């Protein structure tokens, strides 16, 4: 199967291997052996919760998987896995291919068609599709189809990015492909045609505000009280998990919207789409040390008092 990816390259998918050809101006053939890109995997707290993959999916049957680690970036670095820049680029382009032309894209369309769910739930579903798609690529190459597999790859990617020139053409290609993937997901799942760009300092500032909000003593006290009250209503583990998911939307989505109201950034309105855009730009910049530290601090402080994300 051959498919053109925008104006960048042509990818031939054949079994468990794929071959990547450059554009007409720069043709080359490269075999990608074991690659996956989770460059855009969010680490922010309000977006994800532990979820079970559909049992109809043979890869994920009976597995429990959280799409975000409680300790944020700190949990990604203890891996001995290694990836190359070519592998990272090749894989993200393959993920983009699936989002544009595969069943993953159809699942995104289904999210857009059903607006009865909360924005938090719809965003979690979108990111679950994203992670599932990547894990279908990661498993044949030695990564496990669970949270550890995600962490191993993310750790390998973070180590890689510390060794490459951020201004190189290859790194720019990686960033472009990552952004294109998120653009396709946002368009199909939420009807968002354009994701406005923010500078690194702007993203750092926004995550600092979110982190401060989530560590505010009065907010933590209120959230902890509500958590204990809700959890005391039932001893059924499944119902308690449902309560945790509902509390994520009830407590954390308003946190993000309040930060957006205060920041007053153009094209980032304090509404459902603004929330999704903010989650996405934070995810796209999760490799920045300041952003990662802000996220990690918020996660640890909040989850130690209100354990709804682990």
């Amino acid at each position: 199967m051959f498919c053109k990816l925008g104006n960048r390259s042509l990818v031939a998918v054949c079994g468990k291997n794929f071959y990547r050809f450059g554009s007409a101006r720069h043709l080359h053939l490269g075999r990608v052996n074991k690659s996956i890109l989770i460059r855009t995997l969010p680490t922010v707290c309000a977006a994800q919760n532990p979820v079970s993959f559909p049992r109809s999916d043979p890869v994920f049957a009976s597995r429990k998987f959280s799409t975000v680690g409680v300790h944020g970036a700190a949990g990604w670095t203890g891996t001995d896995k290694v990836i190359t820049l070519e592998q990272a680029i090749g894989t993200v382009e393959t993920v983009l291919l699936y989002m544009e032309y595969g069943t993953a894209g159809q699942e995104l369309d289904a999210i857009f068609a059903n607006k009865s769910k909360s924005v938090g739930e719809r965003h979690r579903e979108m990111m679950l599709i994203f992670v599932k798609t990547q894990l279908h690529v990661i498993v044949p190459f030695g990564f496990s189809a669970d949270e550890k597999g995600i962490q191993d790859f993310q750790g390998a990617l973070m180590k890689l990015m510390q060794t490459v020139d951020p201004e190189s053409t290859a790194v720019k290609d990686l960033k472009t492909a990552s952004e294109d993937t998120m653009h396709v997901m946002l368009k199909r799942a939420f009807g968002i045609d354009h994701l406005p760009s923010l500078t690194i300092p702007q993203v750092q500032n926004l995550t600092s505000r979110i982190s401060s909000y989530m560590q505010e003593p009065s907010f933590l006290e209120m959230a902890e009280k509500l958590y204990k009250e809700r959890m005391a209503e039932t001893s059924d583990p499944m119902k308690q998990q449902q309560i945790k998911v509902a509390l994520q939307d009830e407590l954390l989505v308003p946190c993000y919207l309040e930060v957006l109201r205060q920041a007053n950034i153009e094209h980032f309105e304090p509404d459902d789409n603004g929330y999704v855009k903010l989650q996405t730009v934070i995810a796209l910049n999760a490799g920045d040390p300041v952003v990662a530290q802000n996220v990690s601090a918020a996660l640890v402080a909040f989850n130690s008092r209100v354990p709804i994300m682990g």
Side-chain angles (χ1 to χ4, degrees), residues 222-236 239-251 306 308:
M222 178 275 295
E224 184 178 25
K225 182 174 183 288
L226 183 60
Y227 167 77
K228 290 179 177 179
E229 290 175 352
R230 296 282 178 83
M231 294 296 284
E233 294 173 359
T234 179
S235 60
D236 182 277
K239 291 182 179 180
Q240 287 187 334
Q241 182 57 42
Q242 293 172 347
I243 290 171
K244 291 180 180 182
V245 173
L247 283 173
Q248 289 183 44
D249 292 346
E250 188 172 342
L251 292 171
V306 191
I308 61 177

Side-chain angles (χ1 to χ4, degrees), residues 44-49 68 119-120 124 210 213-215 219-220 222-223 226 244-259 261 275 278-279 298-299 302-303 306-309:
V44 283
C45 54
Q48 280 75 49
N49 63 289
V68 64
V119 64
R124 285 192 294 273
I210 292 169
Y213 190 108
M214 291 180 59
Q215 296 180 75
F219 173 74
L220 286 174
M222 178 275 295
L226 183 60
K244 291 180 180 182
V245 173
L247 283 173
Q248 289 183 44
D249 292 346
E250 188 172 342
L251 292 171
L252 299 178
V253 173
C255 163
Y256 278 70
L257 296 182
E258 179 58 30
V259 167
R261 273 190 286 270
Y275 167 80
L278 178 56
Q279 287 281 18
L299 283 167
F302 183 85
N303 215 54
V306 191
I308 61 177
M309 294 173 289

Side-chain angles (χ1 to χ4, degrees), residues 261-275:
R261 273 190 286 270
Q262 294 176 4
N264 191 29
I265 299 175
E266 187 179 10
H267 304 305
F268 282 84
E269 296 79 10
D271 55 17
D272 285 1
N273 280 0
Y275 167 80

Side-chain angles (χ1 to χ4, degrees), residues 161-233:
M161 297 311 292
Q162 293 171 0
T163 65
V164 296
D165 177 7
E167 298 302 319
S168 68
T169 300
V171 172
K172 290 179 180 179
D173 285 347
L174 177 62
K175 181 179 179 181
T176 297
S178 298
E179 292 174 349
D180 286 351
T181 300
M182 295 309 295
H183 289 161
V184 171
M185 293 171 62
L186 293 178
K187 172 62 177 177
R188 299 190 73 160
F190 288 93
I192 296 174
D193 293 309
H194 174 63
L195 179 64
S197 297
L198 294 181
T199 65
I200 288 292
Q202 284 179 306
V203 181
Q204 292 172 344
N205 178 265
L206 287 167
T207 54
S208 177
R209 291 184 183 218
I210 292 169
S211 183
S212 296
Y213 190 108
M214 291 180 59
Q215 296 180 75
E216 172 64 35
S218 60
F219 173 74
L220 286 174
E221 182 178 352
M222 178 275 295
E224 184 178 25
K225 182 174 183 288
L226 183 60
Y227 167 77
K228 290 179 177 179
E229 290 175 352
R230 296 282 178 83
M231 294 296 284
E233 294 173 359

Side-chain angles (χ1 to χ4, degrees), residues 8-215:
R8 294 187 307 282
S9 61
L10 190 69
V11 172
V13 180
C14 180
K16 294 181 179 178
N17 305 316
F18 67 86
Y19 299 86
R20 178 171 174 269
F21 299 82
S23 66
R25 296 178 59 187
H26 180 63
L27 290 174
H28 67 279
L29 174 63
R31 179 168 178 170
V32 181
N33 295 318
K34 51 178 182 178
S35 56
I36 185 72
L37 178 71
I38 310 176
R39 170 78 169 80
T40 51
L41 178 67
T43 57
V44 283
C45 54
Q48 280 75 49
N49 63 289
V51 292
S52 297
F53 289 113
R55 295 188 177 274
S56 59
D57 188 329
V59 176
F60 305 106
S62 303
R63 293 184 184 271
K64 192 75 171 180
F65 175 77
S66 171
T67 51
V68 64
V70 171
H71 300 292
W76 299 340
T77 54
T79 180
D80 58 358
K81 299 284 187 179
V82 177
I83 59 171
T84 68
L85 190 54
E86 182 185 26
Q87 289 170 344
I89 295 170
T91 300
V92 74
E93 290 185 341
T94 302
V95 172
L96 175 58
L97 173 71
Y98 295 154
M99 293 296 177
E100 290 183 318
Y101 303 106
T103 57
Q106 297 170 14
E107 293 174 354
L108 294 171
D109 294 340
I111 295 174
F112 182 72
N114 183 7
K115 297 183 175 64
S116 62
K117 299 178 181 179
S118 70
V119 64
E121 186 172 1
R122 286 181 285 138
H123 187 261
R124 285 192 294 273
E125 289 181 356
M126 181 184 77
M127 294 314 305
L128 178 56
I129 293 167
F130 177 61
V131 172
K132 283 171 56 180
T133 302
Q134 293 179 9
L135 287 180
H136 273 298
V137 180
I138 218 176
V139 170
F141 303 125
F143 292 93
S144 55
D146 54 19
E147 186 168 3
K148 187 177 186 305
I150 290 289
Q151 291 176 340
D152 282 345
F153 181 81
Q154 192 68 38
L157 182 60
M158 290 183 71
K159 289 192 294 184
L160 169 67
M161 297 311 292
Q162 293 171 0
T163 65
V164 296
D165 177 7
E167 298 302 319
S168 68
T169 300
V171 172
K172 290 179 180 179
D173 285 347
L174 177 62
K175 181 179 179 181
T176 297
S178 298
E179 292 174 349
D180 286 351
T181 300
M182 295 309 295
H183 289 161
V184 171
M185 293 171 62
L186 293 178
K187 172 62 177 177
R188 299 190 73 160
F190 288 93
I192 296 174
D193 293 309
H194 174 63
L195 179 64
S197 297
L198 294 181
T199 65
I200 288 292
Q202 284 179 306
V203 181
Q204 292 172 344
N205 178 265
L206 287 167
T207 54
S208 177
R209 291 184 183 218
I210 292 169
S211 183
S212 296
Y213 190 108
M214 291 180 59
Q215 296 180 75

